[in-house]
Amino acid sequence: MDAFPAFFPLAGRTVVIAGEGEGAEAKARLFEGSPATVVRLAADEALDPKAYAAAALAFVAAEDDGFARAAAEAARAAGVPVNVVDRPALCDFTTPAVIDRGEVVAAIGTGGASPMLATLLRQDLEARVPEGAGRVAALFRQMQDEVRGALPEAHRRRAFLRGALAGPAAEAALAGDMDRARDLLRQALAQDAPLPGSVRYVDARGPADLLTLRAARALAGADVLVCDEGVHADVLSLARRDAERLAPQPAEALVDLARDGRRVTRLIVGSGWRTEQAALDAAGIETEILPIAR
């Protein structure tokens, strides 16, 4: 990862755009409909660090190299991260191609190397993100405290949310009926019961492109990863970064994890796991073997 992507909250924040012309107008259009206050600066005003005070972000767009550099230095002197259009060397951050669905925002960046490539990729992804996705995110934000209070255990909460995101509450939010969506989510929360956990065995010798889609989903959905030595780094990179990671455990420990409702993904390299899996089956734990694609 050559650049770290981050999202800046815009509610109550100020964004400064310095300069004139199409580049400045394009940056201004990025913030249309956002809760940010957009301040436009031109001429000498854009060269005064005081003009950037308390801003969250600054953008500079200008044909003149001297003006662009001086305005960027003024913003930086005020402690504000700055983006200078078409001048990556002067930027503290680059502007990605953005998919805007309200509370759901996706961004694709190339570090300024190829904005056109980022735009083409955005167009591909935009068709796959439904217009109502932001309303679904808003529903779960509004209900976050209720869900957390009812399900304080993280793995139980994740299991509930996985089901709810594909359930009738999310469908109602997609359709724009937020009152019904909240009612349905509360009903699902009241009826929630812990689901039994499972252990899924994934051949982790790599490379990752040999994994089946089902194996990739087991990695992405795991609460706990139990890893043999020698797991391929590309395989491990497909797992959730906040999943608990353990060295090989006795079968009894895996039984306890599964009975506690955890989704365990067992990353295997050798052949010693077969005895372990037989012990889990004998204990009534759901197991699944996910071989590599051939």
Side-chain angles (χ1 to χ4, degrees):
M1 184 166 60
D2 292 337
F4 181 75
F7 290 89
F8 285 75
L10 293 176
R13 304 294 183 92
T14 298
V15 174
V16 174
I17 299 174
E20 298 176 328
E22 180 52 35
E25 297 306 319
K27 296 303 181 190
R29 286 193 291 271
L30 266 179
F31 296 94
E32 289 177 356
S34 84
T37 298
V38 177
V39 174
R40 303 291 297 268
L41 302 177
D44 292 344
E45 188 181 19
L47 309 182
D48 183 358
K50 294 178 183 176
Y52 300 87
L57 298 169
F59 297 85
V60 176
E63 294 292 333
D64 182 80
D65 286 340
F67 175 89
R69 186 177 298 275
E73 289 174 354
R76 206 168 282 119
V80 179
V82 61
N83 169 272
V84 184
V85 175
D86 293 335
R87 295 174 178 85
L90 296 180
C91 293
D92 296 317
F93 66 94
T94 56
T95 306
V98 174
I99 300 170
D100 182 3
R101 295 290 188 263
E103 296 206 25
V104 172
V105 178
I108 302 165
T110 60
S114 179
M116 181 58 70
L117 174 60
T119 298
L120 291 172
L121 292 171
R122 184 204 70 199
Q123 290 169 351
D124 273 352
L125 291 174
E126 200 160 24
R128 306 183 192 186
V129 182
E131 286 290 339
R135 292 190 293 271
V136 176
L139 168 69
F140 286 93
R141 175 181 55 76
Q142 293 163 12
M143 299 285 291
Q144 188 174 52
D145 289 344
E146 288 185 48
V147 173
R148 188 177 294 276
L151 300 171
E153 296 172 299
H155 68 279
R156 284 277 315 278
R157 193 162 58 247
R158 281 194 296 268
F160 170 77
L161 292 172
R162 272 192 294 263
L165 280 166
E171 290 177 6
L174 278 171
D177 191 343
M178 297 302 288
D179 289 338
R180 177 170 167 74
R182 282 187 288 271
D183 288 343
L184 288 169
L185 192 59
R186 287 192 179 101
Q187 290 174 25
L189 193 57
Q191 297 166 4
D192 182 64
L195 296 173
S198 60
V199 179
R200 287 176 167 78
Y201 288 84
V202 172
D203 186 328
R205 290 172 294 177
D209 59 6
L210 292 179
L211 295 178
T212 63
L213 178 59
R214 198 168 177 83
R217 286 175 174 166
L219 284 162
D223 298 310
V224 181
L225 302 171
V226 179
C227 309
D228 281 352
E229 279 192 49
V231 167
H232 198 286
D234 288 350
V235 173
L236 198 56
S237 72
L238 297 179
R240 281 183 33 242
R241 283 168 173 72
D242 59 344
E244 184 178 1
R245 302 186 182 201
L246 302 174
Q249 303 287 304
E252 294 80 3
L254 299 182
V255 169
D256 289 342
L257 287 169
R259 284 179 175 165
D260 193 36
R262 311 293 180 107
R263 289 188 177 190
V264 179
T265 295
R266 182 75 171 84
L267 300 180
I268 53 174
V269 173
S271 59
W273 57 273
R274 295 186 183 278
T275 301
E276 173 188 289
Q277 191 226 0
L280 295 175
D281 286 342
I285 301 301
E286 177 193 342
T287 65
E288 185 177 11
I289 302 169
L290 301 170
I292 58 175
R294 295 293 186 184

